Amino acid sequence: MRLVAENGDQLGIKTVNEALRLAEESNVDLVEIAPLANPPVCKLMDFGKFRYREQKKEHEAKRKQKQIQVKEIKFRPGTDEGDYKIKLQKLIDFLEEGDKAMVTLRFRGREMAHKEFGERLLERVRKDLDAIGVVEQFPKLEGRQMVMVLAPKKKVEPGKKEKETKQEAKPQGAPEKPKASPRPAAKPA
């Protein structure tokens, strides 16, 4: 088997007995890294420390992950302007935090006869949030409520966005303006 030291140095090809003896002398474990290689590769290491470091890495990776949650805001077809603005601001906050937002519109009693009021309200919400969110699930009627799901728009890198806007602003084939020549220095009087 090919043997690798704790610090990564190659110790060459050794027999199993020699490798075990070296591991015992160094007070470390003999760990098989690549069993399918020809010859198999083993490493001298403290396996307990190795597992501990791997667990720490996994834990750090989990801590850095952002859990996306689905937050819900409920409307009614008769939601007044003040309440609408407050709920809209809450939706903006949810989307800016990176969470998805579920907009639920509940109909009661005779309101079911005028679903177009609810559709107009959801369309207004969609238009107001068009700058920061995208509709993931278009409004659909489920029993007595209409549900629409919004997701935050993907953030574009600042340098990339500027290049795209400059290219869009200049029409194709348009002649470039000549650059102004520098001003001559004023002569003293």
Side-chain angles (χ1 to χ4, degrees), residues 42-183:
C42 292
K43 186 172 184 178
L44 298 173
M45 68 168 74
D46 187 347
F47 192 65
K49 280 185 183 177
F50 173 74
R51 285 191 45 207
Y52 177 74
R53 282 192 215 114
E54 290 299 312
Q55 286 174 346
K56 280 291 202 185
K57 284 180 190 174
E58 288 175 17
H59 180 70
E60 286 298 316
K62 280 184 183 179
R63 276 186 56 213
K64 291 178 183 174
Q65 284 181 345
K66 168 85 170 88
Q67 293 284 332
I68 296 177
Q69 296 177 339
V70 179
K71 309 257 181 131
E72 183 178 20
I73 294 287
K74 294 184 179 183
F75 284 91
R76 294 280 315 277
T79 301
D80 207 19
E81 189 63 28
D83 292 335
Y84 173 81
K85 287 182 179 177
I86 290 171
K87 291 181 180 199
L88 186 70
Q89 185 57 49
K90 266 307 208 193
L91 284 169
I92 290 170
D93 293 344
F94 293 156
L95 292 173
E96 285 177 346
E97 289 173 10
D99 295 323
K100 292 183 180 182
M102 180 188 303
V103 180
T104 305
L105 187 99
R106 180 175 284 269
F107 296 101
R108 288 192 192 153
R110 293 184 187 173
E111 292 172 348
M112 286 296 290
H114 299 285
K115 294 178 197 144
E116 65 273 3
F117 292 133
E119 290 170 358
R120 273 191 240 140
L121 183 68
L122 289 179
E123 183 63 25
R124 181 178 171 198
V125 169
R126 187 186 66 76
K127 283 182 183 175
D128 289 343
L129 296 176
D130 197 33
I132 60 168
V134 62
V135 177
E136 193 170 84
Q137 177 186 327
F138 284 93
K140 68 177 183 182
L141 193 64
E142 297 174 352
R144 291 190 157 273
Q145 59 187 19
M146 237 180 230
V147 179
M148 175 173 71
V149 179
L150 298 160
K153 279 192 176 176
K154 301 278 187 232
K155 293 180 181 174
V156 180
E157 298 167 14
K160 199 172 188 182
K161 189 175 182 180
E162 290 173 9
K163 289 178 185 175
E164 291 174 2
T165 54
K166 286 179 183 176
Q167 289 175 353
E168 291 172 7
K170 189 177 87 174
Q172 294 277 339
E176 289 188 29
K177 291 183 180 179
K179 294 184 179 178
S181 59
R183 283 177 128 168

